[in-house]
Every structure is written in structure tokens, then in C-alpha cells.
């Protein structure tokens, strides 16, 4: 089944404790992206990747890192999480090119205390 | 930079009627616009894409229009059903991908 998976689905952590949210897709998509969704602010793009070893900043990249060492995986790293990073995070993937129908993962609800 | 406005935060429509949702953008016309559906606690699901040179696109009970003069896309659901209740998001690409905040649609039985 074609899908985007994220782990963990739920995470409660404390300020400053490094964490990684994994994202994997099995559709051989070149393009992958991370979003955060907050009430009243909608979906905002954090980082995206056009292909292996190619990443770029979205609208709200501060406090996040990503890497794209393999085509299928695009982990999101929070080196020193802070409470303002409490949010619902979505990973998405699509084929490259102009017509980017994105496939979204199920989401990761992160709480930073 | 480009901004998207989805005019209604929430919309209540009687079952069987046509629901019409609006998406306005501020700057130049994007090459295409996308519409997604999102259910509570789940990731968005792609519905339709319309290019700037297309006036209208249909898929089953869904219809999308794109008016570059008005800088607007309209999303219609005909013969609406309670199962159509969800949040609908429009999105465009402006160097980065930008989503509107969404319209929560409630179809009342």
C-alpha cells in the first residue's frame, strides 16, 4: 500500500531534550516536506527536499533541522525543543515537477513541556 | 510574498444543497492551485488540482473553478452529504508551498 509513515505518532518531551521524528515513504517520490499545523495559523512548511542531499527552508525553519540521505526517508530533528514547538507535525511526499499532489502522513502530535 | 485567504472559517450547509468554498490569493496568479480535504486529527488528502489556463475542473460531485482576474478559486460540492463534513484547504506554490487556513464545512442532516 502506498503510504507515508511517521513515528512517533505522539510525543511528550521536555525543553532542551533532542528528538527526531522519522518520516518514510514507499512511493519513490523525489519531493518530501515537513509541515506544522497550529490552530489559527494553518499548515506551514518547515523544510522541504527536492531529492537526495537537497534540502531547503520553508516558511518556519527556525529550531528545526532535516536531512535526506536516502530517497525514502526525511527525518525532522529538533536539537533543543522549546514549548513554542508544541504542534501537530505532518510529513508529505510527492513526485517532482510542477504538479505536486502531496501525500501526507498521519501526523505527529508533539508536546514540549 | 503570496498570501492565501479562505474567506469562511466555518460554513453550515443543508444536506443536498451545493456547498461553495472560496480561496483568494493576493499576488500573481500561480501556475496551479490545489484543494485538499482534512478530517480531524488526520493528514490532508488531495482532491483536485486546477491549472491557471483551466477555467473549471470536475471530479464526481466536486467542481473547482479558477478566475485569474478575480484572483480566486471556488470549490463546489454538489448534492452535499454529512460525510462531506471536513476542513477544506487550498494550496498554491510560490517558491514554497503555501496553504490557506482552511474552511470547516458542516453538512447538516
Amino acid at each position: 500500500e502506498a503510504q507515508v509513515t511517521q513515528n512517533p505518532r505522539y510525543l511528550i518531551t521536555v525543553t532542551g531534550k533532542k528528538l527526531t521524528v522519522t518520516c518514510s515513504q514507499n512511493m519513490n517520490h523525489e519531493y518530501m516536506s515537513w509541515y506544522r499545523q497550529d490552530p489559527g495559523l494553518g499548515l506551514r512548511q518547515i523544510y522541504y527536499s527536492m531529492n537526495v542531499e537537497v534540502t531547503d527552508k520553508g516558511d518556519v525553519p527556525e529550531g528545526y533541522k532535516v536531512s535526506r540521505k536516502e530517497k525514502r526517508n526525511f527525518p525532522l530533528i529538533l536539537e533543543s525543543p522549546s514549548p513554542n514547538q508544541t504542534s501537530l507535525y505532518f510529513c508529505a511526499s510527492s513526485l517532482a515537477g510542477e504538479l505536486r499532489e502531496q501525500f501526507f502522513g498521519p501526523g505527529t502530535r508533539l508536546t514540549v513541556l | 510574498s503570496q498570501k492565501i485567504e479562505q474567506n469562511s472559517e466555518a460554513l453550515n450547509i443543508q444536506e443536498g444543497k451545493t456547498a461553495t468554498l472560496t480561496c483568494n490569493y493576493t499576488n500573481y496568479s500561480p501556475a496551479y492551485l490545489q484543494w485538499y480535504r482534512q478530517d480531524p486529527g488526520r493528514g490532508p488528502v488531495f482532491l483536485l488540482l486546477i491549472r491557471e489556463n483551466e477555467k473549471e475542473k470536475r471530479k464526481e460531485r466536486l467542481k473547482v473553478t479558477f478566475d485569474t482576474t478575480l484572483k480566486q478559486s471556488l470549490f463546489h460540492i454538489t448534492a452535499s452529504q454529512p460525510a462531506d463534513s471536513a476542513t477544506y484547504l487550498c494550496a498554491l506554490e510560490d517558491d514554497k508551498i503555501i496553504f490557506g487556513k482552511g474552511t470547516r464545512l458542516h453538512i447538516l442532516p
Side-chain angles (χ1 to χ4, degrees):
Chain A
E1 183 195 348
Q3 59 182 349
V4 177
T5 55
Q6 295 179 227
N7 280 294
R9 295 288 316 279
Y10 303 91
L11 179 60
I12 300 174
T13 189
V14 295
T15 299
K17 187 175 179 186
K18 180 180 178 179
L19 67 92
T20 299
V21 184
T22 64
C23 173
S24 183
Q25 50 92 6
N26 62 1
M27 295 169 278
N28 203 33
H29 285 165
E30 294 87 4
Y31 183 93
M32 296 187 75
S33 183
W34 275 103
Y35 297 87
R36 61 179 288 174
Q37 188 170 39
D38 302 287
L41 296 176
L43 265 173
R44 293 178 294 167
Q45 194 175 41
I46 302 170
Y47 268 96
Y48 62 96
S49 168
M50 301 289 279
N51 214 325
V52 176
E53 302 291 0
V54 180
T55 62
D56 213 340
K57 295 177 181 177
D59 267 339
V60 288
E62 295 79 20
Y64 304 95
K65 281 174 58 177
V66 293
S67 69
R68 187 93 182 272
K69 294 187 171 57
E70 305 163 283
K71 198 172 188 179
R72 63 182 293 130
N73 296 323
F74 190 45
L76 179 70
I77 302 153
L78 284 72
E79 295 268 4
S80 183
S82 62
N84 65 11
Q85 293 177 299
T86 293
S87 189
L88 179 57
Y89 291 87
F90 289 103
C91 179
S93 74
S94 71
L95 292 170
E98 188 186 60
L99 304 179
R100 297 208 187 99
E101 171 191 343
Q102 293 189 84
F103 293 81
F104 281 80
T108 295
R109 189 166 291 281
L110 173 66
T111 302
V112 183
L113 301 174
Chain B
S1 62
Q2 199 62 282
K3 283 186 172 38
I4 289 183
E5 283 178 13
Q6 292 189 248
N7 290 10
S8 305
E9 202 171 300
L11 193 61
N12 293 331
I13 298 291
Q14 204 66 42
E15 181 178 4
K17 301 290 187 192
T18 296
T20 298
L21 285 62
T22 305
C23 176
N24 293 292
Y25 55 92
T26 54
N27 296 345
Y28 59 87
S29 285
Y32 60 90
L33 228 143
Q34 298 180 346
W35 284 88
Y36 288 79
R37 169 186 173 137
Q38 187 176 24
D39 291 287
R42 292 178 165 256
V45 174
F46 173 82
L47 295 174
L48 279 168
L49 178 149
I50 185 164
R51 293 187 184 88
E52 64 174 331
N53 62 353
E54 295 175 320
K55 288 271 190 292
E56 183 180 295
K57 201 85 167 278
R58 289 176 187 261
K59 179 182 173 183
E60 296 169 359
R61 294 184 296 111
L62 309 180
K63 183 177 89 170
V64 173
T65 62
F66 195 171
D67 188 327
T68 55
T69 304
L70 293 178
K71 297 187 177 180
Q72 183 179 83
S73 174
L74 297 179
F75 176 82
H76 307 271
I77 305 176
T78 57
S80 58
Q81 304 164 1
D84 295 326
S85 298
T87 295
Y88 292 85
L89 308 169
C90 67
L92 57 80
E93 187 172 357
D94 175 30
D95 185 30
K96 306 170 186 52
I97 293 179
I98 302 169
F99 279 84
K101 293 178 184 176
T103 297
R104 275 194 323 276
L105 177 65
H106 303 283
I107 305 299
L108 307 171

